[in-house]
Amino acid sequence: MIKRLFLIALAVALVAALPVAAGEHSSKGDYAKQADIIDTAVAAGSFDTLVAAVKAAGLVDALKADGPFTVFAPTDEAFAKLPAGTVESLLLPENRDKLQSILTYHVVPSRVLAADVADGASAPTLLDGQSLEFTIADGKVLIGESEVIQTDIMTSNGVIHVVDSVLLPR
């Protein structure tokens, strides 16, 4: 009798643990426990310029929406590579449309994981009529001249890939 009660208790414990274990690997459960794209970028501490630009462009609510989105996020160092005064100029209210165009060029309206990218592949961006073209060379993923330096940072509403340069629309 005690053995049977022990087995029942063990079975109940295992069944109770299933949703937690399944959630860690499911497409929805895992992401729901994580911060969204904006909060993840803020917490990382290496995207201060990107976050300031997203705020200035009025895109915070859009990138906090359900998604899923893929953001190719330039680091602060990537923004520092731009010619002197470029970032400051883009953050001015009169340049909001241009800033929005640049930022939406970094966003794909679906979840694209590193494993999904192939040489010569492309992904449409939120900037109408524009796509990102991927090249794989020497084991590196490139978008134009920009290298993807970190991949698959999972968020509740998508994924972030870190790029070493600001992507500029054609």
Side-chain angles (χ1 to χ4, degrees):
M1 180 71 166
I2 291 178
K3 183 177 179 182
R4 185 171 183 208
L5 286 175
F6 173 76
L7 290 175
I8 291 171
L10 180 61
V12 169
L14 287 173
V15 169
L18 282 177
V20 173
E24 291 174 3
H25 301 288
S26 74
S27 62
K28 219 168 187 164
D30 191 28
Y31 306 128
K33 297 176 189 173
Q34 298 166 342
D36 62 40
I37 288 170
I38 296 297
D39 293 339
T40 300
V42 168
S46 56
F47 302 107
D48 294 341
T49 307
L50 177 61
V51 171
V54 168
K55 288 178 181 177
L59 296 174
V60 171
D61 289 342
L63 290 175
K64 283 184 150 296
D66 289 342
F69 303 106
T70 299
V71 175
F72 292 89
T75 61
D76 294 333
E77 291 79 19
F79 278 99
K81 290 180 183 180
L82 292 172
T86 301
V87 173
E88 294 79 10
S89 175
L90 286 169
L91 294 176
L92 295 173
E94 60 267 23
N95 293 325
R96 185 176 186 177
D97 289 344
K98 184 173 184 176
L99 181 59
Q100 285 177 343
S101 294
I102 291 169
L103 293 175
T104 55
Y105 185 62
H106 288 79
V107 182
V108 174
S110 62
R111 185 175 284 121
V112 178
L113 301 177
D116 300 330
V117 175
D119 190 34
S122 65
T125 68
L126 287 180
L127 181 58
D128 285 338
Q130 297 284 313
S131 292
L132 298 175
E133 307 292 328
F134 301 101
T135 305
I136 300 176
D138 299 325
K140 298 176 182 178
V141 176
L142 304 170
I143 304 168
E145 300 295 318
S146 184
E147 182 181 346
V148 179
I149 56 175
Q150 187 176 356
T151 62
D152 295 343
I153 301 169
M154 305 310 281
T155 70
S156 64
N157 62 342
V159 61
I160 298 171
H161 302 291
V162 182
V163 292
D164 69 351
S165 301
V166 176
L167 306 173
L168 298 173
R170 297 179 293 281

